[in-house]
């Protein structure tokens, strides 16, 4: 019973954290929309902000039937998250392009700016995030590119192309590192 209570608390905390970010994103998107489209009613703002969050923030309720079926199999753990990262990544890119083109077409500079920021943030986080963290680890721990390449000889085959975070040297003089491929949310997309 203690274990089940602890498990329930952990699940509740996970859901609360997930909900917090959805609510935060909703508020931010609604604020941007209100700033750009002064003629929208409150209901229109709410509906559009909810649609953006629904399509750009991972939500396991939106995984397809194939992923749901695989998820039930003993070997199918964790297929929902990568699936959602792929779905939302394409939606983020599509929305950013839509905002830019709509802004250019209508002369709405805020729409263009929001689209550029959306694509820039996505590109920075998704494409460059691992590279930035890897380089930061190299600088902090004074690890050269050659030493980093040598570390790659010791990673699992599926992590050969993952960004690695050099994490120092142990007491025996061996380099320590963290495979960021399992930590970075967008690594599946990259």
């Amino acid at each position: 019973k203690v274990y089940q209570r602890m498990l329930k608390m952990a699940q509740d905390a996970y859901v609360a954290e997930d909900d917090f970010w959805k609510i935060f994103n909703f508020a931010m998107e609604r604020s941007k929309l209100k700033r750009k489209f002064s003629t929208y009613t409150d209901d229109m703002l709410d509906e559009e902000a909810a649609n953006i969050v629904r399509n750009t923030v991972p939500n396991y309720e939106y995984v397809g039937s194939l992923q749901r079926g695989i998820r039930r199999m003993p070997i199918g753990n964790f297929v929902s998250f990568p699936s959602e990262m792929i779905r939302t990544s394409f939606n983020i890119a599509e929305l950013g392009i839509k905002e830019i083109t709509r802004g250019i077409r209508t002369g709405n500079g805020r729409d263009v700016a929001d689209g550029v920021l959306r694509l820039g943030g996505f590109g920075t986080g998704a494409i460059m995030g691992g590279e930035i963290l890897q380089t930061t680890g190299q600088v902090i721990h004074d690890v050269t590119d050659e030493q980093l390449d040598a570390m790659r000889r010791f990673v699992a085959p599926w992590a050969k192309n993952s960004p690695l975070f050099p994490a120092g040297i142990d007491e025996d003089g061996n380099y320590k590192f963290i495979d960021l491929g399992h930590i970075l949310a967008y690594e599946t997309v990259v």
Side-chain angles (χ1 to χ4, degrees):
K1 288 188 180 229
V2 171
Y3 171 75
Q4 287 183 345
R5 273 198 301 258
M6 288 173 51
L7 181 60
K8 174 83 169 100
M9 287 172 50
Q11 287 174 334
D12 290 347
Y14 178 81
V15 169
E17 185 261 347
D18 207 35
D19 289 347
F20 169 81
W21 288 112
K22 287 177 185 161
I23 293 165
F24 177 81
N25 277 289
F26 173 83
M28 295 304 293
E29 292 296 342
R30 190 181 190 289
S31 175
K32 285 194 286 186
L33 290 166
K34 187 173 184 173
R35 191 185 70 226
K36 290 190 292 193
F37 304 110
S38 59
T39 59
Y40 277 24
T41 66
D42 283 342
D43 287 343
M44 292 168 75
L45 291 169
D46 289 346
E47 182 58 37
E48 185 61 23
N51 187 49
I52 291 170
V53 171
R54 187 173 22 256
N55 290 304
T56 60
V57 176
N59 185 333
Y60 301 133
E61 295 299 316
Y62 294 116
V63 298
S65 56
L66 175 65
Q67 288 86 357
R68 277 191 225 119
I70 293 172
R71 196 167 53 188
R72 290 185 185 103
M73 298 171 67
I75 60 167
N77 293 338
F78 307 112
V79 296
S80 296
F81 184 75
S83 171
E84 273 300 279
M85 293 313 297
I86 292 167
R87 181 185 75 85
T88 58
S89 293
F90 280 102
N91 290 340
I92 291 167
E94 181 181 32
L95 179 58
I97 292 166
K98 178 181 170 185
E99 287 171 324
I100 292 168
T101 56
R102 181 178 58 211
I104 291 170
R105 189 177 65 250
T106 63
N108 187 333
R110 288 181 171 169
D111 223 5
V112 173
D114 285 344
V116 168
L117 284 171
R118 189 178 305 278
L119 290 177
F122 174 69
T124 301
I127 297 167
M128 296 174 53
E131 194 67 33
I132 290 168
L133 288 173
Q134 180 174 286
T135 302
T136 300
Q138 284 183 265
V139 169
I140 290 170
H141 297 291
D142 196 28
V143 173
T144 66
D145 289 340
E146 293 78 21
Q147 290 168 319
L148 187 68
D149 289 339
M151 289 179 201
R152 289 199 182 282
R153 292 193 303 247
F154 298 99
V155 299
W158 59 83
K160 290 289 182 192
N161 296 317
S162 293
L164 301 177
F165 182 85
I169 302 174
D170 67 16
E171 57 277 350
D172 296 325
N174 300 311
Y175 283 97
K176 299 186 294 184
F177 58 86
I178 299 168
D179 172 12
L180 297 174
H182 297 293
I183 297 170
L184 299 171
Y186 289 102
E187 196 60 26
T188 299
V189 177
V190 173

